[in-house]
């Protein structure tokens, strides 16, 4: 799967660009809750341009990381520039700041997908998981975005709803399908909970709160949700290479399942400070932040980092039986 140590890989065609690491929430499943390793910062339009211009043939730009993208006022310009390069552009958002002005700017800039992180279908669960009482506001904002898009007779941005599945919120999943159908959301994603394997998590980001290896009643909820999604025409999917029911498994079907992951060869993640990380999961899965930094795009070119010693070592270890800590849980605890 990997390349030899001396061969050069083509640059990734998918970039995760953290346009800001600032956030207006402190959700109990997030790194923000346990404390950030990088100080607050926004990327500038010029910095995004410099990064994107290095990735020849860029096909996909994901403009989120550990932060709320709508806190960066230059976001519409970034979207428009990346669309001009032929890339599909999307990001995750908590929806609190989405207002008619933002909606108009995102639509006119050509945003392809708006992913709203809901994690709940009721005010009570939302407040428990996301430490916010603004659930009605978020739903109203999503309805407004969809209405403005439809009034313009446009097909984008598509809107998807995302749930990090925990024992705290999994019972909301059927109601989340019903909510999506009512609001006009086409896709719902069930994500596995990611937590550090090399130390204690905080908030809900602990193995005790994961739904993998869950009881039969949790499996029944997921099965019922999948049936409901088919009947209502709302797609229920999972992140990574799984279907929602696979997220409940406590053991992988294969040995060293992380080897199937193609991210080290196809995707890279750049933080608001320019640090290059293996993927969007890595910062959630380990407390040893320094171990996942592969370089910095403000100090070296993207090509030098992508084909550098640290990235090559990551790929080599990734294909072994002793992968980096940030990869060892994939396929068992999360993602794949």
């Amino acid at each position: 799967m990997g390349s030899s140590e001396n061969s050069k890989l083509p640059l990734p065609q998918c970039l995760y660009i953290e346009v800001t690491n600032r956030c207006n929430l402190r959700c109990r499943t997030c790194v923000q809750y346990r404390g950030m390793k990088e100080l607050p910062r926004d990327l500038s339009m010029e910095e995004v341009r410099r990064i994107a211009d290095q990735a020849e043939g860029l096909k996909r730009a994901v403009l989120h990381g550990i932060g709320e993208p709508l806190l960066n006022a230059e976001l519409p310009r970034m979207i428009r520039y990346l669309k001009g390069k032929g890339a599909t552009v999307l990001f995750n958002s908590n929806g609190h700041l989405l207002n008619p002005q933002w909606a108009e700017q995102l639509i006119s800039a050509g945003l392809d997908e708006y992913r709203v992180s809901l994690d709940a279908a009721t005010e009570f669960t939302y407040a428990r998981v996301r430490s916010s009482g603004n659930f009605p506001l978020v739903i109203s904002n999503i309805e407004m975005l969809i209405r403005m898009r439809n009034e313009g007779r446009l097909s984008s941005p598509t809107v998807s709803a995302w749930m990090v599945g925990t024992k705290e919120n999994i019972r909301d999943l059927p109601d989340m399908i019903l909510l999506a159908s009512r609001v006009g959301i086409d896709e719902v994603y069930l994500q596995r909970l990611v937590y550090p394997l090399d130390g204690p998590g905080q908030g809900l980001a602990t193995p005790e709160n994961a739904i993998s290896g869950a009881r039969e009643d949790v499996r029944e909820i997921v099965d019922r949700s999948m049936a409901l999604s088919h009947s209502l025409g709302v797609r229920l999917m999972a992140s990574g290479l799984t279907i929602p029911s696979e997220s409940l498994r406590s053991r992988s079907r294969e040995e060293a399942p992380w080897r199937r992951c193609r991210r080290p060869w196809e995707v890279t993640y750049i933080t608001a400070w320019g640090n290059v990380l293996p993927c969007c999961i890595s910062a959630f899965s380990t407390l040893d932040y320094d171990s996942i930094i592969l370089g910095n795009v403000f100090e070296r070119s993207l090509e030098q980092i992508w084909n550098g010693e640290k990235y090559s070592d990551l790929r080599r270890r990734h294909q072994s039986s002793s992968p980096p800590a940030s990869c060892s849980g994939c396929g068992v605890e999360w993602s794949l």
Side-chain angles (χ1 to χ4, degrees):
M1 181 184 288
S3 62
S4 67
E5 200 166 301
N6 294 322
S7 63
K8 284 192 174 184
L9 290 173
L11 287 169
Q13 295 183 336
C14 175
L15 295 181
Y16 279 67
I17 304 174
E18 187 180 71
V19 296
T20 182
N21 62 8
R22 296 183 297 125
C23 195
N24 52 337
L25 295 183
R26 289 296 180 271
C27 303
R28 295 173 65 211
T29 57
C30 184
V31 176
Q32 293 268 5
Y33 189 84
R34 74 176 188 233
M36 294 284 289
K37 298 294 185 181
E38 295 189 1
L39 293 173
R41 188 180 192 273
D42 294 354
L43 284 176
S44 69
M45 175 65 221
E46 182 55 36
E47 287 169 337
V48 168
R49 188 197 309 272
R50 281 165 48 199
I51 292 167
D53 285 354
Q54 295 181 63
E56 293 184 17
L58 180 64
K59 292 184 177 179
R60 186 176 176 89
V62 183
L63 301 183
H64 66 244
I66 305 172
E68 169 52 50
L70 295 186
L71 286 169
N72 190 323
E74 293 193 278
L75 182 62
R77 292 179 60 207
M78 296 170 182
I79 295 169
R80 190 171 285 108
Y81 183 76
L82 292 162
K83 289 299 299 177
K85 295 180 72 67
T88 296
V89 184
L90 61 143
F91 63 84
N92 268 72
S93 168
N94 60 45
H96 283 66
L97 302 176
L98 184 65
N99 55 33
Q101 293 74 30
W102 260 118
E104 193 281 327
Q105 289 185 79
L106 296 177
I107 292 170
S108 63
L111 181 69
D112 292 288
E113 183 181 357
Y114 183 94
R115 298 177 169 183
V116 58
S117 298
L118 277 181
D119 292 335
T122 65
E123 291 184 59
F124 175 80
T125 308
Y126 190 83
R128 291 278 296 167
V129 175
R130 300 190 71 81
S131 303
S132 168
N134 282 329
F135 182 73
L137 172 67
V138 173
I139 300 305
S140 175
N141 289 345
I142 295 303
E143 289 177 320
M144 175 268 300
L145 174 63
I146 293 172
R147 182 174 62 252
M148 289 180 64
R149 180 200 65 191
N150 292 346
E151 287 173 353
R153 299 184 179 181
L154 301 170
S155 59
S156 61
T158 60
V159 180
S160 56
W162 291 66
M163 170 187 274
V164 177
T166 71
K167 292 176 181 176
E168 188 98 8
N169 67 355
I170 191 64
R171 284 167 180 76
D172 273 26
L173 185 57
D175 286 337
M176 198 161 164
I177 303 295
L178 291 170
L179 175 66
S181 178
R182 176 178 66 80
V183 172
I185 295 171
D186 295 321
E187 298 176 346
V188 173
Y189 284 80
L190 177 63
Q191 293 178 278
R192 294 188 188 187
L193 177 68
V194 183
Y195 44 84
L197 291 179
D198 54 357
Q202 292 188 18
L204 293 177
T206 65
E208 294 77 21
N209 289 309
I211 59 172
S212 54
R215 301 188 310 268
E216 190 60 34
D217 60 334
V218 175
R219 182 169 295 279
E220 187 276 331
I221 290 169
V222 173
D223 289 343
R224 178 156 47 93
S225 299
M226 293 179 71
L228 184 62
S229 73
H230 288 305
S231 68
L232 295 177
V234 176
R235 289 183 293 277
L236 175 58
M237 297 180 287
S239 56
L241 303 176
T242 64
I243 58 174
S245 58
E246 286 291 304
S247 297
L248 304 180
R249 298 180 66 85
S250 59
R251 292 180 178 272
S252 176
R253 296 181 185 272
E254 59 192 274
E255 184 181 353
W258 54 82
R259 292 176 182 170
R260 288 193 295 127
C261 176
R262 293 291 303 169
R263 292 181 182 95
W265 288 266
E266 298 176 355
V267 177
T268 201
Y269 178 113
I270 301 168
T271 76
W273 284 93
N275 286 322
V276 175
L277 310 183
C279 70
C280 61
I281 295 170
S282 58
F284 290 78
S285 62
T286 179
L287 298 179
D288 184 5
Y289 188 70
D290 289 343
S291 72
I292 59 174
I293 298 176
L294 302 169
N296 188 288
V297 292
F298 300 146
E299 299 171 359
R300 302 174 66 202
S301 71
L302 181 60
E303 195 281 331
Q304 287 174 323
I305 297 168
W306 183 248
N307 284 298
E309 184 178 343
K310 285 189 175 181
Y311 237 126
S312 296
D313 182 61
L314 171 80
R315 297 183 185 108
R316 178 186 58 77
R317 293 175 60 199
H318 181 279
Q319 291 299 289
S320 74
S321 58
S322 300
S326 60
C327 301
S328 62
C330 267
V332 182
E333 276 83 10
W334 51 75
S335 191
L336 294 178

